[in-house]
Amino acid sequence: MEDEGKADRRGVAGRSLRILVLGGTGFIGPHQVRFALSRGHQVTLFNRGQTNPGMFPEAEELRGDRASDLSALEGRSWDVVIDNSATDPEWVERSTSVLGGNVARYVYVSSTGVFYPYEKIGLNEGDAPLLEDDPPQDELSYGVAKARSENVVRMAFPEGALIVRPHYIVGPGDPMDRLTSWILRIRRGGDVVAPGDRSHMVQFIDVRDLTEWMIRGCEDALTGTFICSGPPGGLPLSGMIYGIHAVVGGEVNWHWIPDLSFLQERGLSFAVPWVPPMGPYVGMNRIDFRRALEAGLTHRSLADTVRATLDWWDAQPEERTAEIRQGPTAEVEADIIAQWAQRPGNDDEEEGRSR
């Protein structure tokens, strides 16, 4: 018989949890809250009320500030807190201090950025993150700040810490337009730069897969450190872009440009989630996430992610869709293609038209 606290995989939690979400109305928060509510949990949101206030009328809302005012949390208790918003170890110290003793478990959303520079293929939870030698607090890099925040949580909740290290988070609601920029570019059609080699690997996680796994982890009282990435089995860049095209259709002329120095000289160093596998990024898209798979992490298909992202994007107001926040401009892309075609002895691998 399944334990009372274990997640029922049929879609309903084994018991209702009182969940405090720090943040909750940005990118990953709404997906967490929506899924938690659908499984019968009681959700409290703590934030400044500046982003999408009132998004979840069925959830309790507390107002405050991670940096200066946690008074609304004092004297309250929850089964678990999910910390989505902290990139400053001092914020985490404040929240763990206030909540310590009143919360059983603390879920901290970290990042694979703790491994930067990614100089090893197959990085996993057993590899120590870079902490640097006591730089001033205001000079902490993103990865170092996340790594130090992890340690604060582990010290405050030695038996109840769940540390989640996502890779690039994509899907509906992504404010950075990571995979979104590729989807929109391929849907637009025409001459498309395919940077790097077809075999270059890409890694990312659909926000819904990440957040649903986190809520199920709360139900299962999961603790420890887990890297959350995908897709399982690996995905080369060619599989990503052709997979997107299979969903969006249209006429595309692919221009494969494998010369990384040529691309970088013309301002195309990254086309996230593609990152050139060289230097400090050699292992960035070859990270080992088997531990999370063993702990129940599941993955939607690329086609599902593409369709959901497009549905979300097409429903956004004009002020949001007026500017895509990733990828080269049309002018830069056209110039790269033109210069590559004129380069003596180039090996442009244009494949003709895809429909």
Side-chain angles (χ1 to χ4, degrees):
M1 182 174 179
E2 190 173 43
D3 293 341
E4 180 187 11
K6 293 292 183 180
D8 184 341
R9 301 308 184 215
R10 293 171 298 179
V12 178
R15 65 183 178 90
S16 177
L17 297 174
R18 295 169 301 145
I19 301 176
L20 169 64
V21 179
L22 303 181
T25 58
F27 175 27
I28 69 174
H31 293 279
Q32 283 174 342
V33 173
R34 195 173 296 114
F35 188 67
L37 291 171
S38 76
R39 292 175 69 80
H41 301 303
Q42 303 170 51
V43 178
T44 299
L45 307 180
F46 174 83
N47 51 55
R48 294 177 297 171
Q50 296 182 359
T51 303
N52 301 316
M55 175 181 282
F56 295 103
E58 60 270 64
E60 179 185 22
E61 292 187 88
L62 301 178
R63 295 287 178 252
D65 191 303
R66 296 293 304 272
S68 60
D69 182 11
L70 299 178
S71 58
L73 304 180
E74 295 174 356
R76 296 287 303 272
S77 65
W78 291 270
D79 296 307
V80 59
V81 55
I82 301 177
D83 188 344
N84 290 322
S85 59
T87 55
D88 186 333
E90 291 185 353
W91 288 13
V92 183
E93 288 175 356
R94 293 189 186 102
S95 59
T96 55
S97 176
V98 170
L99 295 170
N102 294 326
V103 175
R105 297 190 303 282
Y106 198 110
V107 181
Y108 178 67
V109 180
S110 184
S111 167
T112 58
V114 299
F115 292 123
Y116 182 85
Y118 307 86
E119 295 177 340
K120 171 186 172 182
I121 292 175
L123 286 162
N124 59 43
E125 293 85 354
D127 291 295
L130 178 68
L131 296 179
E132 296 186 358
D133 295 325
D134 299 321
Q137 186 71 26
D138 59 358
E139 294 180 8
L140 293 180
S141 70
Y142 176 79
V144 171
K146 283 292 191 181
R148 293 192 174 186
S149 296
E150 290 183 5
N151 285 343
V152 171
V153 174
R154 292 188 186 99
M155 291 181 65
F157 289 82
E159 304 297 326
L162 173 57
I163 308 297
V164 184
R165 294 173 176 169
H167 208 291
Y168 288 126
I169 308 172
V170 303
D174 179 12
M176 300 299 294
D177 298 342
R178 284 160 280 218
L179 190 66
T180 312
S181 63
W182 275 103
I183 296 170
L184 297 174
R185 177 64 194 90
I186 293 172
R187 181 170 70 169
R188 193 169 79 242
D191 293 298
V192 176
V193 167
D197 189 276
R198 288 174 174 78
S199 64
H200 286 174
M201 303 304 291
V202 294
Q203 284 188 303
F204 49 83
I205 182 79
D206 187 301
V207 63
R208 297 166 296 169
D209 294 326
L210 171 66
T211 54
E212 291 173 15
W213 177 80
M214 289 175 65
I215 296 300
R216 293 196 303 268
C218 292
E219 296 166 0
D220 291 344
L222 186 66
T223 59
T225 301
F226 296 85
I227 295 168
C228 290
S229 187
L235 181 69
L237 177 61
S238 58
M240 185 191 82
I241 65 175
Y242 296 153
I244 293 172
H245 182 258
V247 176
V248 303
E251 190 172 289
V252 177
N253 299 324
W254 306 104
H255 295 264
W256 285 93
I257 301 180
D259 189 328
L260 300 182
S261 61
F262 177 91
L263 293 168
Q264 290 175 331
E265 289 167 3
R266 287 152 184 84
L268 188 58
S269 297
F270 304 95
V272 176
W274 174 78
V275 173
M278 57 190 296
Y281 302 100
V282 68
M284 185 175 184
N285 279 334
R286 301 287 292 275
I287 295 176
D288 182 356
F289 56 95
R290 285 176 294 178
R291 189 163 189 256
L293 289 174
E294 293 168 357
L297 179 65
T298 59
H299 295 79
R300 290 166 166 80
S301 67
L302 174 62
D304 184 305
T305 299
V306 172
R307 284 191 291 266
T309 302
L310 271 181
D311 288 344
W312 162 76
W313 179 266
D314 289 340
Q316 297 308 295
E318 184 177 352
E319 57 266 26
R320 173 64 178 90
T321 60
E323 181 182 359
I324 302 173
R325 297 166 183 170
Q326 293 282 343
T329 65
E331 293 76 16
V332 168
E333 183 178 32
D335 186 60
I336 289 173
I337 292 172
Q339 290 190 44
W340 182 252
Q342 295 168 7
R343 183 181 176 187
N346 81 72
D347 54 348
D348 184 357
E349 299 183 35
E350 179 179 351
E351 294 191 347
R353 296 179 178 179
S354 295
R355 296 178 184 272

